[in-house]
Amino acid sequence: NLIEMWHRWFQLLPEVEKLSVPRWHFSEILEDETEIELHVFVDASDHAYASVAYLRFRTKFGYKCSLLGSKTRVSPLKYMSTTRKELMAALLGTRFSNSVRESLTSNIKRRIFWSDSSTVLIWLRSDHQKYSQFVGHRVGEILESTELPEWRWVPSKMNAADEATKWLKNPSFVQSSQWFTGPQFMYDEESEWPQQTSKLIPNGTNEEMKLSCIHSGIIMPAIVNAANFSKWERAVRGLAFAIRWGRKLLAKVRKLPFSSEPLTQAELLQSERLLFSQAQWEGFTEEMVAL
């Protein structure tokens, strides 16, 4: 299987020789005072995670998009969940956008980050301290450089970064492909852009949620209120009769014989031990739970 992948990769090299990408982004005349937008798409798969950036601007003939560049990383050999890789892709896109803004001389008025992972978008809108250390650190770094309104959802089929993460999918070297020109919706007005169908509720996912268990234990319920008895012996005998009554009902249900002889020493001893145990739970609850 690995040999087949190498053969496929070598077969793509002649196609790369024919490929050309314009270095001049504004090939057409811009409208006066047009706002230049930076659109960054991020995506991840089992094989890789990636980000790709485009400039979007208005000309006299409508909106145009220009490919700026991309960053791709191979997935770690150690197992990592897909949502974690999606978060790594979002972090890669954030760092890439910072690098782009520092290198461009054009004044970018607006940035938009596109991801098809609802879980990542929920993490960004949540209290990241409630999630695992892995998620919390990366969400914190993303939010240091970006604002929440800059992050939007896009369907997978419209996510341009998807082209760089699917190994089983042959890349398209056609100049009119989505990778080189950007998704079709970026040539439309903003009202026509993809909209999230479901609400992104903060803390709306339990994935990677940090476990916060303060204490847990079984608290023994009170069997008998000793304050209702004037003597210890009466409390012991009262509980012993209650235990016997329960056994009698169980025997009746099972249609078994049951003796009505006076209380035995074993029954009184069992009742007394239960009362001792109840007193220990009431007086030393924390110690009993710890035990």
Side-chain angles (χ1 to χ4, degrees):
N1 189 18
L2 184 60
I3 296 177
E4 293 179 359
M5 290 183 177
W6 275 106
H7 280 299
R8 283 181 56 196
W9 188 79
F10 278 115
Q11 290 173 359
L12 294 174
L13 293 180
E15 298 294 330
V16 176
E17 293 180 352
K18 306 173 186 177
L19 185 63
S20 63
V21 179
R23 297 181 63 184
W24 176 245
H25 303 298
F26 309 111
S27 57
E28 299 186 34
I29 300 175
L30 300 179
E31 280 196 345
D32 295 337
E33 298 182 358
T34 184
E35 292 188 355
I36 301 175
E37 300 174 351
L38 174 62
H39 290 253
V40 181
F41 292 80
V42 298
D43 189 42
S45 69
D46 294 336
H47 305 288
Y49 55 95
S51 68
V52 56
Y54 301 89
L55 287 180
R56 179 178 181 266
F57 46 90
R58 182 190 288 275
T59 70
K60 295 182 178 180
F61 305 100
Y63 284 105
K64 297 294 180 181
C65 294
S66 177
L67 173 65
L68 268 179
S70 65
K71 292 286 185 180
T72 306
R73 297 288 183 271
V74 178
S75 296
L77 295 177
K78 185 179 179 181
Y79 173 77
M80 182 184 293
S81 65
T82 303
T83 48
R84 282 194 173 195
K85 294 173 188 173
E86 294 278 7
L87 181 60
M88 292 293 293
L91 180 59
L92 180 65
T94 301
R95 293 172 177 174
F96 185 41
S97 71
N98 293 336
S99 176
V100 167
R101 294 188 72 173
E102 292 175 359
S103 59
L104 284 181
T105 56
S106 302
N107 187 16
I108 297 176
K109 297 291 186 180
R110 184 186 183 193
R111 288 187 308 175
I112 298 179
F113 297 85
W114 298 91
S115 173
D116 55 19
S117 174
S118 298
T119 302
V120 170
L121 297 177
I122 290 175
W123 282 342
L124 295 176
R125 286 162 172 77
S126 305
D127 181 4
H128 56 275
Q129 295 181 354
K130 293 184 177 181
Y131 294 96
S132 66
Q133 192 174 32
F134 182 96
V135 173
H137 286 175
R138 285 155 181 80
V139 169
E141 182 178 344
I142 292 172
L143 294 180
E144 284 181 0
S145 303
T146 64
E147 301 292 336
L148 278 181
E150 293 180 328
W151 287 90
R152 301 184 60 156
W153 175 85
V154 62
S156 296
K157 63 181 180 179
M158 298 182 183
N159 191 350
D162 183 78
E163 304 283 341
T165 60
K166 303 296 189 292
W167 170 253
L168 299 178
K169 185 177 180 181
N170 288 328
S172 175
F173 293 97
V174 180
Q175 294 287 343
S176 59
S177 67
Q178 180 175 244
W179 177 263
F180 295 106
T181 63
Q184 183 59 42
F185 70 83
M186 288 205 300
Y187 294 84
D188 301 329
E189 295 293 337
E190 187 172 350
S191 59
E192 303 296 325
W193 290 0
Q195 300 293 328
Q196 178 78 28
T197 53
S198 58
K199 292 184 178 180
L200 299 174
I201 304 174
N203 302 317
T205 177
N206 293 326
E207 190 167 355
E208 297 287 345
M209 184 74 77
K210 187 188 300 181
L211 296 178
S212 55
C213 180
I214 301 175
H215 193 75
S216 66
I218 301 175
I219 304 300
M220 184 177 179
I223 303 173
V224 174
N225 187 0
N228 294 333
F229 297 90
S230 58
K231 293 184 179 180
W232 173 254
E233 291 80 5
R234 290 184 179 179
V236 172
R237 292 182 65 84
L239 179 57
F241 275 119
I243 295 174
R244 172 177 281 194
W245 180 73
R247 290 176 177 172
K248 184 176 181 179
L249 289 179
L250 184 61
K252 187 175 181 181
V253 171
R254 296 179 178 178
K255 298 181 180 181
L256 299 174
F258 188 84
S259 175
S260 299
E261 61 184 12
L263 291 172
T264 63
Q265 190 64 28
E267 289 176 314
L268 293 174
L269 183 61
Q270 179 188 18
S271 174
E272 192 174 43
R273 286 178 175 173
L274 284 174
L275 289 174
F276 285 151
S277 178
Q278 176 180 312
Q280 289 173 335
W281 276 101
E282 291 176 352
F284 307 97
T285 304
E286 294 182 1
E287 290 80 356
M288 293 294 288
V289 170
L291 291 173

